[in-house]
Amino acid sequence: MRRNKKDRQKKLKDIIEVNPFITDEDLSNQLSVSIQTIRLDRLELSIPELRERIKNVATQQLEDVKSLRVDEIIGEVIDIQLNDSAISIFDVKQEHVFSRNGIARGHHLFAQANSLAVAVINDDLALTAKSNLVFLKPAKLGDRIVAKAKIIEDEPETRRKTVEVNGFVENEHIFEGTFEMYHRSQQ
Amino acid sequence: MRRNKKDRQKKLKDIIEVNPFITDEDLSNQLSVSIQTIRLDRLELSIPELRERIKNVATQQLEDVKSLRVDEIIGEVIDIQLNDSAISIFDVKQEHVFSRNGIARGHHLFAQANSLAVAVINDDLALTAKSNLVFLKPAKLGDRIVAKAKIIEDEPETRRKTVEVNGFVENEHIFEGTFEMYHRSQQ
């Protein structure tokens, strides 16, 4: 059932407030209007697009990151829950690939995964003690790599946490890694 | 017993021809003269210093590297025996360390080790399938990291070679790594 514009825009605002990560597509389904209508509504209400909303949310969370300067994180953090999990995206550009075959070089993938593992540790000193990376499929020039980090083990007595990081390109699993992180404070 | 200058310079030339990596100190011991005398002798004979000699030798070997462009190797290769072993040095500069503590970031060490592991593979396609890195001690701003790579396992039927890479700062062991490399041709 269609609503009038004012009702619909109020509803749209409420939905986005509860779930800032909702896509225009899902909004269009929920409100039974076209994606174009959703875009126009957002424009009129000055609600930025999903990507920008994600950034805004992540920026607030990023202010609490202690273990490194935010601009030292390789890739763009789109979500971070300190001491728990984090997500970043990394766009593979010309400078990240082997000139001979256009395949992304391992150390850039390592850098995305490792810096996310550092960022998720809620401590002012977090050092990588061990790393294990399995490269399942090559990433290529133009790929957008989504890395998802999650703390899977916590040993407060030795001040070590194990962070699992998985990399995906369009839902294809391209790398899996574990990082054993040492941190300063016993928590 | 001292020799006269002509004899000594001939001997010095012969020694360096056999072992281009000998230091001035070892030369001074072998020829029982001061390091200053060795330097003057080298100057008169137009024999460059060790660092330059190493570079010349490595440059010739580097021409045969197939798996990546030489300028894609992170660090400076000072010795490489394709399909066997390689050595590179990497100077830790401001842009390689965490701003908060001056400790070298893991992905630069990974980059030095991994690109050396790629370079040593004598094939036009060499991809990293797995990596294991243990960071034993942090490297710091100003450190010179010497990485030594060695192929320790070779499985021609699966086209995989395992390369061990160890990192040192002034003979202190700072990281140990293994890289399982996939290569194109069965050799």
Side-chain angles (χ1 to χ4, degrees):
Chain A
M1 205 180 66
R2 289 207 161 215
R3 299 156 205 275
N4 70 42
K5 187 171 162 182
K6 209 173 163 185
D7 275 4
R8 185 184 67 227
Q9 291 195 344
K10 193 193 168 306
K11 182 80 182 148
L12 184 141
K13 226 174 150 179
D14 291 346
I15 295 175
I16 291 179
E17 233 171 66
V18 174
N19 176 14
F21 297 131
I22 193 167
T23 62
D24 285 353
E25 201 179 344
D26 286 342
L27 285 167
S28 105
N29 288 335
Q30 281 198 33
L31 298 172
S32 309
V33 292
S34 72
I35 293 186
Q36 282 69 27
T37 307
I38 296 293
R39 287 192 190 136
L40 287 170
D41 281 350
R42 281 201 294 97
L43 218 61
E44 288 181 25
L45 295 165
S46 304
I47 297 173
E49 59 165 331
L50 175 59
R51 181 78 187 272
E52 289 304 311
R53 293 201 304 275
I54 288 175
K55 263 194 187 166
N56 292 344
V57 173
T59 305
Q60 284 173 19
Q61 297 163 334
L62 280 169
E63 280 175 12
D64 298 326
V65 169
K66 282 188 201 159
S67 53
L68 76 177
R69 259 188 11 223
V70 168
D71 62 2
E72 293 179 325
I73 302 175
I74 314 293
E76 189 185 336
V77 177
I78 58 169
D79 186 39
I80 185 160
Q81 311 296 331
L82 287 180
N83 247 339
D84 179 47
S85 60
I87 300 173
S88 76
I89 54 177
F90 177 75
D91 290 322
V92 179
K93 296 183 181 152
Q94 194 63 51
E95 64 266 32
H96 305 127
V97 303
F98 285 110
S99 61
R100 301 202 174 163
N101 48 38
I103 291 174
R105 305 191 58 178
H107 65 271
H108 296 297
L109 280 56
F110 182 97
Q112 178 185 18
N114 189 29
S115 63
L116 201 60
V118 173
V120 81
I121 304 293
N122 190 19
D123 200 315
D124 62 357
L125 182 77
L127 297 176
T128 308
K130 289 184 191 170
S131 75
N132 258 293
L133 238 80
V134 181
F135 298 95
L136 303 165
K137 289 193 173 243
K140 301 214 155 171
L141 181 61
D143 281 348
R144 166 163 291 178
I145 304 173
V146 177
K148 299 181 180 180
K150 175 98 189 146
I151 296 181
I152 55 165
E153 267 179 61
D154 191 351
E155 295 179 33
E157 61 290 350
T158 61
R159 300 177 191 187
R160 281 172 199 251
K161 292 183 202 281
T162 305
V163 184
E164 186 183 81
V165 188
N166 287 291
F168 303 88
V169 172
E170 286 175 6
N171 292 321
E172 232 183 345
H173 198 181
I174 63 150
F175 70 76
E176 58 188 30
T178 52
F179 295 87
E180 190 184 299
M181 308 299 298
Y182 167 83
H183 52 92
R184 194 198 308 263
S185 27
Q186 209 161 2
Q187 39 150 330
Chain B
M1 203 181 68
R2 290 207 159 215
R3 300 153 204 274
N4 70 41
K5 185 173 166 181
K6 207 172 164 184
D7 275 4
R8 187 185 66 231
Q9 292 196 343
K10 192 192 169 309
K11 182 78 182 150
L12 184 142
K13 223 174 150 178
D14 291 346
I15 295 175
I16 291 181
E17 234 172 67
V18 173
N19 176 13
F21 297 132
I22 193 167
T23 62
D24 285 353
E25 200 179 345
D26 286 342
L27 285 166
S28 106
N29 288 335
Q30 280 198 34
L31 299 171
S32 311
V33 293
S34 71
I35 292 186
Q36 283 69 29
T37 307
I38 295 293
R39 286 190 189 139
L40 289 169
D41 281 352
R42 279 201 296 97
L43 219 60
E44 287 181 25
L45 295 165
S46 305
I47 297 173
E49 58 165 330
L50 174 60
R51 182 78 187 273
E52 289 303 312
R53 294 202 302 276
I54 287 173
K55 263 194 185 165
N56 292 342
V57 172
T59 304
Q60 284 172 19
Q61 298 163 334
L62 279 170
E63 283 175 9
D64 298 325
V65 169
K66 282 187 202 161
S67 54
L68 76 177
R69 257 184 16 219
V70 168
D71 62 4
E72 294 180 324
I73 302 175
I74 314 293
E76 189 186 335
V77 177
I78 59 171
D79 186 40
I80 185 160
Q81 311 295 331
L82 287 179
N83 246 341
D84 179 47
S85 60
I87 300 172
S88 76
I89 55 177
F90 177 75
D91 290 322
V92 179
K93 296 183 182 152
Q94 195 64 53
E95 65 265 32
H96 305 126
V97 302
F98 284 110
S99 61
R100 302 203 174 164
N101 48 37
I103 291 175
R105 305 191 56 176
H107 65 271
H108 295 297
L109 281 58
F110 182 97
Q112 178 185 20
N114 189 30
S115 63
L116 201 60
V118 173
V120 79
I121 304 292
N122 191 19
D123 200 315
D124 61 359
L125 182 77
L127 297 177
T128 307
K130 289 184 191 171
S131 75
N132 259 292
L133 237 79
V134 181
F135 298 95
L136 303 165
K137 288 188 173 249
K140 300 213 157 174
L141 182 61
D143 281 348
R144 167 164 290 178
I145 304 172
V146 178
K148 298 181 181 179
K150 174 98 189 146
I151 296 181
I152 56 165
E153 268 181 59
D154 191 351
E155 295 180 33
E157 62 289 349
T158 61
R159 300 177 190 188
R160 282 172 198 251
K161 292 182 203 281
T162 305
V163 185
E164 186 182 82
V165 187
N166 287 289
F168 303 87
V169 172
E170 287 176 4
N171 292 321
E172 232 183 345
H173 198 180
I174 63 150
F175 70 76
E176 58 187 31
T178 50
F179 295 87
E180 190 185 300
M181 308 299 298
Y182 167 83
H183 52 91
R184 193 198 308 263
S185 27
Q186 208 160 4
Q187 38 153 331

Short mmCIF file of all heavy atoms in Angstrom, two decimals, chain A residues 61-62 64-70 72-74 77 79-88 111-123 126-128 149 151 163 181, chain B residues 98 105:
data_model
loop_
_atom_site.label_atom_id
_atom_site.label_comp_id
_atom_site.label_asym_id
_atom_site.label_seq_id
_atom_site.Cartn_x
_atom_site.Cartn_y
_atom_site.Cartn_z
N GLN A 61 33.22 5.55 15.55
CA GLN A 61 33.86 4.41 16.21
C GLN A 61 35.38 4.52 16.13
O GLN A 61 36.10 4.16 17.05
CB GLN A 61 33.41 3.11 15.54
CG GLN A 61 31.92 2.86 15.65
CD GLN A 61 31.46 1.82 14.65
OE1 GLN A 61 32.08 1.63 13.60
NE2 GLN A 61 30.38 1.14 14.97
N LEU A 62 35.86 5.03 15.00
CA LEU A 62 37.30 5.11 14.77
C LEU A 62 37.98 6.04 15.75
O LEU A 62 39.17 5.90 16.03
CB LEU A 62 37.58 5.55 13.33
CG LEU A 62 37.48 4.45 12.28
CD1 LEU A 62 37.52 5.04 10.89
CD2 LEU A 62 38.59 3.43 12.45
N ASP A 64 37.76 6.04 18.74
CA ASP A 64 38.16 5.30 19.93
C ASP A 64 39.34 4.36 19.70
O ASP A 64 39.84 3.77 20.65
CB ASP A 64 36.97 4.49 20.46
CG ASP A 64 35.81 5.40 20.87
OD1 ASP A 64 36.09 6.51 21.37
OD2 ASP A 64 34.65 5.01 20.68
N VAL A 65 39.75 4.21 18.43
CA VAL A 65 40.87 3.29 18.15
C VAL A 65 42.13 3.80 18.83
O VAL A 65 42.46 4.98 18.74
CB VAL A 65 41.09 3.14 16.62
CG1 VAL A 65 42.40 2.42 16.33
CG2 VAL A 65 39.93 2.40 15.99
N LYS A 66 42.82 2.89 19.56
CA LYS A 66 43.97 3.31 20.36
C LYS A 66 45.30 2.82 19.81
O LYS A 66 46.33 3.43 20.06
CB LYS A 66 43.85 2.66 21.76
CG LYS A 66 42.89 3.29 22.69
CD LYS A 66 43.08 2.62 24.06
CE LYS A 66 41.85 2.81 24.92
NZ LYS A 66 41.79 1.81 25.96
N SER A 67 45.28 1.66 19.15
CA SER A 67 46.52 0.95 18.90
C SER A 67 47.35 1.53 17.76
O SER A 67 48.53 1.25 17.64
CB SER A 67 46.22 -0.52 18.59
OG SER A 67 45.26 -0.59 17.55
N LEU A 68 46.72 2.32 16.90
CA LEU A 68 47.47 2.97 15.82
C LEU A 68 46.70 4.21 15.37
O LEU A 68 45.54 4.39 15.74
CB LEU A 68 47.72 2.02 14.63
CG LEU A 68 46.59 1.69 13.66
CD1 LEU A 68 47.12 0.79 12.55
CD2 LEU A 68 45.41 1.04 14.32
N ARG A 69 47.35 5.08 14.60
CA ARG A 69 46.65 6.24 14.07
C ARG A 69 45.72 5.75 12.98
O ARG A 69 46.09 4.88 12.18
CB ARG A 69 47.67 7.23 13.48
CG ARG A 69 47.95 8.39 14.42
CD ARG A 69 48.80 9.48 13.77
NE ARG A 69 48.98 9.36 12.35
CZ ARG A 69 50.14 9.55 11.73
NH1 ARG A 69 51.21 9.88 12.43
NH2 ARG A 69 50.23 9.43 10.43
N VAL A 70 44.52 6.32 12.93
CA VAL A 70 43.52 5.83 11.98
C VAL A 70 44.04 5.87 10.54
O VAL A 70 43.78 4.97 9.74
CB VAL A 70 42.21 6.63 12.13
CG1 VAL A 70 41.27 6.35 10.98
CG2 VAL A 70 41.54 6.24 13.45
N GLU A 72 46.82 5.18 9.61
CA GLU A 72 47.80 4.10 9.41
C GLU A 72 47.11 2.77 9.07
O GLU A 72 47.78 1.78 8.80
CB GLU A 72 48.67 3.93 10.66
CG GLU A 72 49.57 5.14 10.91
CD GLU A 72 50.43 4.99 12.16
OE1 GLU A 72 49.97 4.41 13.16
OE2 GLU A 72 51.57 5.49 12.15
N ILE A 73 45.78 2.77 9.13
CA ILE A 73 45.05 1.57 8.73
C ILE A 73 45.04 1.50 7.20
O ILE A 73 44.70 2.48 6.54
CB ILE A 73 43.60 1.59 9.28
CG1 ILE A 73 43.62 1.69 10.81
CG2 ILE A 73 42.85 0.32 8.84
CD1 ILE A 73 42.24 1.83 11.44
N ILE A 74 45.43 0.36 6.65
CA ILE A 74 45.45 0.19 5.20
C ILE A 74 44.06 -0.27 4.77
O ILE A 74 43.57 -1.29 5.23
CB ILE A 74 46.51 -0.85 4.76
CG1 ILE A 74 47.86 -0.64 5.46
CG2 ILE A 74 46.66 -0.86 3.24
CD1 ILE A 74 48.60 0.60 5.11
N VAL A 77 38.07 1.68 6.79
CA VAL A 77 37.28 0.95 7.79
C VAL A 77 35.82 1.35 7.65
O VAL A 77 35.49 2.53 7.64
CB VAL A 77 37.79 1.28 9.21
CG1 VAL A 77 36.92 0.58 10.26
CG2 VAL A 77 39.23 0.85 9.37
N ASP A 79 33.38 -0.51 9.49
CA ASP A 79 32.74 -0.86 10.76
C ASP A 79 33.82 -1.34 11.72
O ASP A 79 34.72 -2.07 11.32
CB ASP A 79 31.69 -1.95 10.56
CG ASP A 79 30.91 -2.23 11.84
OD1 ASP A 79 30.60 -1.26 12.57
OD2 ASP A 79 30.63 -3.40 12.13
N ILE A 80 33.72 -0.92 12.97
CA ILE A 80 34.68 -1.44 13.95
C ILE A 80 34.03 -1.47 15.33
O ILE A 80 33.40 -0.50 15.77
CB ILE A 80 36.02 -0.65 13.94
CG1 ILE A 80 37.03 -1.30 14.88
CG2 ILE A 80 35.83 0.82 14.29
CD1 ILE A 80 38.49 -0.91 14.58
N GLN A 81 34.12 -2.63 15.96
CA GLN A 81 33.69 -2.80 17.35
C GLN A 81 34.95 -3.19 18.10
O GLN A 81 35.42 -4.33 17.98
CB GLN A 81 32.65 -3.93 17.48
CG GLN A 81 31.49 -3.85 16.49
CD GLN A 81 30.63 -2.60 16.69
OE1 GLN A 81 30.52 -2.08 17.80
NE2 GLN A 81 30.03 -2.12 15.61
N LEU A 82 35.51 -2.24 18.85
CA LEU A 82 36.78 -2.51 19.52
C LEU A 82 36.68 -3.75 20.38
O LEU A 82 35.65 -4.01 21.00
CB LEU A 82 37.21 -1.30 20.35
CG LEU A 82 37.70 -0.11 19.53
CD1 LEU A 82 38.10 1.04 20.45
CD2 LEU A 82 38.88 -0.50 18.65
N ASN A 83 37.77 -4.53 20.38
CA ASN A 83 37.84 -5.76 21.17
C ASN A 83 36.92 -6.85 20.65
O ASN A 83 36.70 -7.85 21.33
CB ASN A 83 37.53 -5.51 22.64
CG ASN A 83 38.77 -5.76 23.47
OD1 ASN A 83 39.68 -6.46 23.02
ND2 ASN A 83 38.81 -5.20 24.66
N ASP A 84 36.38 -6.66 19.47
CA ASP A 84 35.50 -7.69 18.94
C ASP A 84 35.72 -7.93 17.43
O ASP A 84 36.26 -8.97 17.06
CB ASP A 84 34.03 -7.33 19.21
CG ASP A 84 33.09 -8.38 18.66
OD1 ASP A 84 33.36 -9.58 18.90
OD2 ASP A 84 32.11 -8.02 17.97
N SER A 85 35.35 -6.96 16.62
CA SER A 85 35.38 -7.22 15.18
C SER A 85 35.53 -5.91 14.40
O SER A 85 35.31 -4.82 14.93
CB SER A 85 34.09 -7.92 14.75
OG SER A 85 32.99 -7.09 15.07
N ALA A 86 35.90 -6.04 13.12
CA ALA A 86 36.05 -4.87 12.26
C ALA A 86 35.96 -5.29 10.80
O ALA A 86 36.22 -6.45 10.46
CB ALA A 86 37.39 -4.17 12.53
N ILE A 87 35.57 -4.35 9.97
CA ILE A 87 35.46 -4.60 8.53
C ILE A 87 36.14 -3.44 7.79
O ILE A 87 35.94 -2.28 8.16
CB ILE A 87 33.98 -4.68 8.08
CG1 ILE A 87 33.26 -5.83 8.80
CG2 ILE A 87 33.88 -4.87 6.56
CD1 ILE A 87 31.75 -5.87 8.53
N SER A 88 36.92 -3.76 6.76
CA SER A 88 37.47 -2.69 5.93
C SER A 88 37.38 -3.09 4.46
O SER A 88 37.25 -4.27 4.13
CB SER A 88 38.93 -2.38 6.29
OG SER A 88 39.79 -3.37 5.78
N ALA A 111 48.83 -6.25 4.46
CA ALA A 111 48.74 -4.94 5.11
C ALA A 111 47.30 -4.62 5.50
O ALA A 111 47.03 -4.13 6.61
CB ALA A 111 49.29 -3.85 4.19
N GLN A 112 46.35 -4.89 4.60
CA GLN A 112 44.95 -4.65 4.93
C GLN A 112 44.54 -5.50 6.14
O GLN A 112 43.98 -4.99 7.12
CB GLN A 112 44.04 -5.00 3.74
CG GLN A 112 42.55 -4.80 4.06
CD GLN A 112 41.61 -5.26 2.94
OE1 GLN A 112 42.01 -6.03 2.07
NE2 GLN A 112 40.39 -4.79 2.98
N ALA A 113 44.85 -6.80 6.07
CA ALA A 113 44.44 -7.73 7.13
C ALA A 113 45.13 -7.42 8.45
O ALA A 113 44.50 -7.34 9.51
CB ALA A 113 44.74 -9.17 6.70
N ASN A 114 46.44 -7.19 8.38
CA ASN A 114 47.22 -6.98 9.60
C ASN A 114 46.85 -5.67 10.29
O ASN A 114 46.71 -5.61 11.51
CB ASN A 114 48.71 -7.01 9.26
CG ASN A 114 49.60 -7.03 10.49
OD1 ASN A 114 49.21 -7.55 11.53
ND2 ASN A 114 50.80 -6.49 10.37
N SER A 115 46.65 -4.61 9.51
CA SER A 115 46.35 -3.33 10.16
C SER A 115 44.94 -3.35 10.77
O SER A 115 44.69 -2.71 11.79
CB SER A 115 46.55 -2.16 9.20
OG SER A 115 45.67 -2.22 8.11
N LEU A 116 44.04 -4.13 10.18
CA LEU A 116 42.72 -4.27 10.77
C LEU A 116 42.81 -5.06 12.08
O LEU A 116 42.13 -4.73 13.07
CB LEU A 116 41.77 -4.96 9.78
CG LEU A 116 40.28 -4.78 9.98
CD1 LEU A 116 39.88 -3.31 9.90
CD2 LEU A 116 39.48 -5.60 8.98
N ALA A 117 43.68 -6.08 12.09
CA ALA A 117 43.89 -6.88 13.31
C ALA A 117 44.49 -6.01 14.42
O ALA A 117 44.15 -6.16 15.60
CB ALA A 117 44.80 -8.07 13.02
N VAL A 118 45.36 -5.08 14.05
CA VAL A 118 45.93 -4.15 15.04
C VAL A 118 44.83 -3.21 15.56
O VAL A 118 44.68 -3.02 16.77
CB VAL A 118 47.09 -3.33 14.44
CG1 VAL A 118 47.56 -2.25 15.41
CG2 VAL A 118 48.26 -4.22 14.05
N ALA A 119 44.05 -2.66 14.63
CA ALA A 119 43.05 -1.64 14.99
C ALA A 119 42.00 -2.17 15.96
O ALA A 119 41.55 -1.44 16.85
CB ALA A 119 42.37 -1.12 13.72
N VAL A 120 41.64 -3.45 15.81
CA VAL A 120 40.55 -3.99 16.62
C VAL A 120 40.97 -4.22 18.08
O VAL A 120 40.12 -4.32 18.96
CB VAL A 120 39.99 -5.29 15.96
CG1 VAL A 120 40.85 -6.50 16.26
CG2 VAL A 120 38.55 -5.55 16.38
N ILE A 121 42.28 -4.25 18.32
CA ILE A 121 42.78 -4.45 19.69
C ILE A 121 42.63 -3.14 20.46
O ILE A 121 43.12 -2.09 20.04
CB ILE A 121 44.27 -4.87 19.69
CG1 ILE A 121 44.49 -6.14 18.86
CG2 ILE A 121 44.78 -5.05 21.13
CD1 ILE A 121 43.87 -7.39 19.41
N ASN A 122 41.94 -3.21 21.58
CA ASN A 122 41.62 -2.00 22.35
C ASN A 122 42.72 -1.69 23.36
O ASN A 122 42.52 -1.79 24.57
CB ASN A 122 40.27 -2.20 23.05
CG ASN A 122 39.74 -0.92 23.66
OD1 ASN A 122 40.17 0.18 23.27
ND2 ASN A 122 38.84 -1.05 24.60
N ASP A 123 43.89 -1.34 22.85
CA ASP A 123 45.05 -1.10 23.72
C ASP A 123 45.97 -0.13 23.01
O ASP A 123 45.99 -0.09 21.78
CB ASP A 123 45.77 -2.43 23.97
CG ASP A 123 46.66 -2.40 25.19
OD1 ASP A 123 47.39 -1.40 25.38
OD2 ASP A 123 46.61 -3.35 25.98
N ALA A 126 49.79 -2.64 20.50
CA ALA A 126 49.40 -3.94 19.96
C ALA A 126 50.41 -4.33 18.90
O ALA A 126 50.58 -3.62 17.90
CB ALA A 126 48.00 -3.88 19.36
N LEU A 127 51.11 -5.43 19.13
CA LEU A 127 52.14 -5.87 18.19
C LEU A 127 51.80 -7.25 17.66
O LEU A 127 51.27 -8.10 18.39
CB LEU A 127 53.51 -5.94 18.88
CG LEU A 127 54.08 -4.63 19.41
CD1 LEU A 127 55.39 -4.88 20.15
CD2 LEU A 127 54.31 -3.65 18.26
N THR A 128 52.12 -7.47 16.39
CA THR A 128 51.87 -8.78 15.79
C THR A 128 52.99 -9.74 16.19
O THR A 128 54.16 -9.46 15.95
CB THR A 128 51.82 -8.65 14.26
OG1 THR A 128 50.90 -7.62 13.93
CG2 THR A 128 51.39 -9.95 13.61
N ALA A 149 37.51 -8.85 10.22
CA ALA A 149 38.35 -9.30 11.33
C ALA A 149 37.48 -9.62 12.53
O ALA A 149 36.47 -8.95 12.78
CB ALA A 149 39.36 -8.21 11.69
N ILE A 151 38.01 -11.18 16.72
CA ILE A 151 38.85 -11.77 17.77
C ILE A 151 38.26 -13.13 18.13
O ILE A 151 37.10 -13.23 18.51
CB ILE A 151 38.92 -10.86 19.01
CG1 ILE A 151 39.61 -9.54 18.63
CG2 ILE A 151 39.69 -11.55 20.14
CD1 ILE A 151 39.76 -8.57 19.77
N VAL A 163 43.36 -12.92 16.26
CA VAL A 163 42.38 -12.27 15.38
C VAL A 163 42.33 -13.05 14.06
O VAL A 163 43.36 -13.28 13.43
CB VAL A 163 42.76 -10.80 15.09
CG1 VAL A 163 41.67 -10.12 14.27
CG2 VAL A 163 43.02 -10.05 16.39
N MET A 181 48.19 -11.47 18.35
CA MET A 181 48.56 -10.10 18.72
C MET A 181 48.95 -10.04 20.19
O MET A 181 48.25 -10.56 21.05
CB MET A 181 47.38 -9.16 18.49
CG MET A 181 46.75 -9.22 17.10
SD MET A 181 47.89 -8.79 15.78
CE MET A 181 48.28 -7.09 16.22
N PHE B 98 55.28 2.66 12.90
CA PHE B 98 54.13 3.24 13.57
C PHE B 98 54.56 4.57 14.19
O PHE B 98 55.60 4.64 14.85
CB PHE B 98 53.63 2.32 14.70
CG PHE B 98 52.87 1.13 14.21
CD1 PHE B 98 53.41 -0.14 14.30
CD2 PHE B 98 51.59 1.27 13.67
CE1 PHE B 98 52.70 -1.25 13.86
CE2 PHE B 98 50.88 0.16 13.22
CZ PHE B 98 51.43 -1.10 13.32
N ARG B 105 56.34 -1.57 10.84
CA ARG B 105 55.05 -2.21 10.65
C ARG B 105 55.25 -3.56 9.97
O ARG B 105 56.09 -3.70 9.08
CB ARG B 105 54.16 -1.30 9.81
CG ARG B 105 54.05 0.08 10.42
CD ARG B 105 52.98 0.87 9.76
NE ARG B 105 51.72 0.14 9.84
CZ ARG B 105 50.57 0.61 9.40
NH1 ARG B 105 50.52 1.80 8.87
NH2 ARG B 105 49.48 -0.12 9.50
#
